[in-house]
Amino acid sequence: MFSTYPGQAVIDHPVSAPIEHRFDPYVDNGGTLLSIAGNDFCVVAADTRQSEGYSINSRYVPKSVKLSDKTVISMGGCYADCLTLTKRIQQSMEWYHHAHGKVMSTAAVAQMLSIMLYQKRFFPFYSWCILGGLDEEGKGAVYTYDPVGSYERETCRCAGSASSLIQPFLDNQINFKNQESRQRTLTKDEVLRITKDSFTSATERDIYTGDYLEIFVITNTGVEVQKIDLKKD
Amino acid sequence: MDHFPTNWGNPRSEDVDSYNTYPISSHIGKVPHSVTQIAGYGHTTGHPTSHTLQPVVTGTSVLGIKFKGGVMMAADNLASYGSLARFRDVERLHQVADFTVLGASGDISDYQYVKHLIDSQMIKEYNADDGHTLATPNIYEYLWRVMYNRRSKMNPLWNTFVLGGVHQGKSFLGAIDLKGTPYQAPSIATGFGSHLAQPILRKELETRGGEDNITEEQAVEILKKSMKVLWYRDARSMNKFQLAKITAEGVTISEPMSVETEWAFAEKIRGYGA
């Protein structure tokens, strides 16, 4: 977690453990998200469980939102911050549409999101963002962020509570790390299979991941959504 | 150097609470008393504006479950002052619109403030007389923004709210907590109820095959059973509660009721000092 926001300060008590005197505005609502870019498609997937501590608030609270026919955003972390940030993006995209008479490109949304996150550098949105979509050439694009806006374009990324379980698997199966001789580009069906396997496996070990898996497949014909069952325990 | 602040002297005696040793607000001496008395300028005594860092008078769990054609909610009538059962006839379910009920757990004064905010907003919308009114999802969004903005000011409203309603033929059940976390689900239970009642509500929904297979009468029975479990085990609860029903016909909030309980087993419990 953070140690930089105002309010984290704890005061040492001479006789017992430190007592927190200030309100902690953040909560980790868990959940896992993932995005993989292909040659002419992009897959964005996330589970739909919302947790608070050991309790499940709801089994279906979507983490991904379609922003346009070419762009999907997915966020995990503090759900209140994530939803606020999503609404800000949607608002700005609408203003952009009215001002310029065209829909924002994936690259433009990507840079805007970085700026929006950095604007709150000293009281950050606790949100792990992954932006998936198609670039101007129709190629799959994945942009990943940290909570203060550092971002990078990649081919594949997993974030959220089970990221440490899934990311090494993706490094091996998507980017072919440590098996360079097998390097090739994957088809959409292969990517979907790896995505589903990643989440069913993560659900076994991560208590914050489960209930449903919602997958957004972005191609030049638009965005297709599928909902798949995960274990509910 | 005299290190005791009360011996440093008072710049304006009316700005200082002589029984308070420290801290003394930093703007004392710089700002005239007449200015500090303007509403919104912190406190007239010159102390810093205080934030709710803990709830004082509190309400315990609020329950909600969807059934075929509507939503049923339950909350008891107790407002506790710590472990003291302070106020025993408090209504924690409030009708805010034709098809919307707000239920509150947590700090009662913060709840009364939010109730005032929403009621004022509803009056404002009514006065516009434009044929529109706020529906359940609109009130939910408003409530979420209020809660999120207060947590962002590090001055939260210490509640978990449950909003139940019916909108465009579909039932709505959502919750928002003091950190502005919103979520919707077929069943919701706040506070102690999230541990004791939510598993009961979820099991009922699951074994009956979802909210469309639960009748109004069954919803009442499920909530009464859950309230009984809470009364047995939640020490801040009371066996006097109300139910709220929201359907396409409108809202009905019941008179306070209670459930039959059986305490004979308590005789046989050993090992807790008895």
Side-chain angles (χ1 to χ4, degrees):
Chain A
M1 268 292 292
F2 295 103
S3 56
T4 49
Y5 63 84
Q8 260 281 283
V10 286
I11 295 169
D12 280 331
H13 196 266
V15 283
S16 59
I19 301 163
E20 193 166 354
H21 288 274
R22 292 197 64 184
F23 170 66
D24 177 2
Y26 294 114
V27 59
D28 186 354
N29 296 113
T32 306
L33 41 141
L34 167 168
S35 182
I36 300 168
N39 256 344
D40 57 351
F41 66 91
C42 186
V43 169
V44 176
D47 73 309
T48 65
R49 176 177 291 180
Q50 193 196 83
S51 315
E52 242 175 289
Y54 288 125
S55 300
I56 295 171
N57 282 340
S58 176
R59 300 195 188 281
Y60 186 70
V61 179
K63 275 184 262 297
S64 313
V65 173
K66 177 184 163 185
L67 296 173
S68 73
D69 286 342
K70 290 194 186 319
T71 316
V72 172
I73 185 75
S74 193
M75 293 182 198
C78 176
Y79 183 71
D81 277 349
C82 292
L83 196 60
T84 303
L85 184 53
T86 305
K87 301 239 163 191
R88 283 198 187 186
I89 296 167
Q90 287 175 316
Q91 178 75 273
S92 295
M93 286 180 74
E94 193 183 320
W95 287 345
Y96 182 101
H97 193 138
H98 292 319
H100 301 105
K102 61 179 181 181
V103 177
M104 258 177 118
S105 67
T106 303
V109 178
Q111 187 164 106
M112 184 182 75
L113 177 53
S114 170
I115 292 165
M116 281 182 167
L117 287 162
Y118 194 79
Q119 274 173 340
K120 275 177 63 70
R121 174 63 180 80
F122 299 106
F123 184 19
F125 284 124
Y126 178 25
S127 54
W128 303 98
C129 304
I130 298 179
L131 189 76
L134 299 179
D135 65 13
E136 301 288 67
E137 294 162 17
K139 288 195 168 77
V142 171
Y143 292 89
T144 63
Y145 300 79
D146 78 354
V148 291
S150 318
Y151 81 120
E152 177 182 27
R153 183 172 169 178
E154 295 178 295
T155 51
C156 129
R157 172 61 74 179
C158 178
S161 58
S163 59
S164 56
L165 281 71
I166 295 176
Q167 188 64 48
F169 175 66
L170 297 181
D171 288 342
N172 186 256
Q173 292 296 307
I174 304 287
N175 294 327
F176 298 102
K177 292 282 160 66
N178 298 306
Q179 44 173 356
E180 261 83 32
S181 58
R182 300 183 59 188
Q183 188 88 45
R184 65 197 168 84
T185 51
L186 294 166
T187 65
K188 197 167 75 184
D189 287 340
E190 286 174 314
V191 165
L192 283 172
R193 208 189 68 233
I194 290 169
T195 301
K196 289 169 194 169
D197 281 351
S198 300
F199 275 92
T200 43
S201 306
T203 302
E204 292 290 327
R205 285 285 183 172
D206 178 27
I207 58 166
Y208 300 113
T209 301
D211 296 328
Y212 300 98
L213 172 61
E214 207 167 54
I215 306 178
F216 288 66
V217 185
I218 308 137
T219 58
N220 58 8
T221 55
V223 180
E224 185 196 308
V225 190
Q226 37 182 304
K227 190 176 160 190
I228 292 157
D229 279 307
L230 291 173
K231 281 171 75 169
K232 290 174 184 58
D233 60 357
Chain B
M1 169 80 198
D2 182 4
H3 292 282
F4 198 53
T6 48
N7 295 335
W8 294 349
N10 296 329
R12 297 285 299 270
S13 61
E14 67 267 36
D15 283 323
V16 176
D17 172 4
S18 54
Y19 293 97
N20 193 18
T21 52
Y22 204 76
I24 296 167
S25 171
S26 58
H27 64 251
I28 291 177
K30 294 180 209 148
V31 183
H33 179 62
S34 56
V35 173
T36 62
Q37 288 218 303
I38 296 167
Y41 195 97
H43 289 191
T44 51
T45 51
H47 295 291
T49 306
S50 59
H51 292 170
T52 305
L53 296 176
Q54 55 180 329
V56 182
V57 178
T58 59
T60 185
S61 321
V62 177
L63 311 182
I65 189 169
K66 287 185 185 176
F67 64 91
K68 191 170 172 59
V71 176
M72 195 75 71
M73 292 165 67
D76 69 24
N77 294 88
L78 178 65
S80 308
Y81 180 79
S83 60
L84 174 71
R86 184 65 182 83
F87 304 105
R88 302 164 65 86
D89 53 359
V90 173
E91 296 191 354
R92 298 193 291 123
L93 297 172
H94 174 64
Q95 180 177 356
V96 290
D98 289 348
F99 303 100
T100 312
V101 169
L102 174 69
S105 58
D107 192 280
I108 294 296
S109 61
D110 283 352
Y111 159 58
Q112 288 171 343
Y113 168 69
V114 168
K115 194 162 74 173
H116 167 78
L117 274 186
I118 294 178
D119 285 347
S120 305
Q121 197 64 35
M122 294 307 293
I123 290 168
K124 208 174 142 190
E125 294 291 331
Y126 177 81
N127 288 342
D129 199 20
D130 55 4
H132 294 287
T133 182
L134 295 186
T136 316
N138 311 126
I139 297 167
Y140 187 66
E141 188 89 6
Y142 174 83
L143 185 60
W144 170 51
R145 288 324 297 174
V146 169
M147 297 299 279
Y148 182 80
N149 284 308
R150 284 294 293 262
R151 85 99 216 189
S152 296
K153 289 175 188 163
M154 301 296 281
N155 184 18
L157 293 162
W158 218 281
N159 301 100
T160 304
F161 290 113
V162 180
L163 200 72
V166 171
H167 179 57
Q168 290 177 346
K170 290 171 81 175
S171 39
F172 181 103
L173 183 60
I176 303 163
D177 70 9
L178 76 166
K179 296 183 181 186
T181 318
Y183 54 93
Q184 293 171 47
S187 66
I188 281 174
T190 69
F192 223 105
S194 70
H195 300 109
L196 291 178
Q198 181 70 293
I200 298 171
L201 303 178
R202 289 204 178 135
K203 190 175 187 178
E204 294 287 353
L205 278 161
E206 205 170 305
T207 54
R208 290 165 202 259
E211 66 207 62
D212 289 334
N213 296 310
I214 295 175
T215 63
E216 183 188 318
E217 292 73 24
Q218 286 168 331
V220 170
E221 285 315 304
I222 293 166
L223 285 186
K224 279 185 177 176
K225 185 167 87 179
S226 304
M227 291 306 279
K228 185 191 279 193
V229 170
L230 285 169
W231 165 234
Y232 274 130
R233 280 294 177 182
D234 177 5
R236 305 289 170 264
S237 71
M238 185 169 63
N239 191 11
K240 178 184 171 192
F241 59 90
Q242 285 171 292
L243 295 178
K245 179 184 79 171
I246 311 103
T247 62
E249 273 70 59
V251 170
T252 323
I253 297 179
S254 74
E255 286 301 307
M257 61 178 85
S258 55
V259 283
E260 289 284 313
T261 51
E262 167 61 55
W263 294 95
F265 68 91
E267 290 275 306
K268 300 188 190 77
I269 294 177
R270 291 289 178 273
Y272 297 95

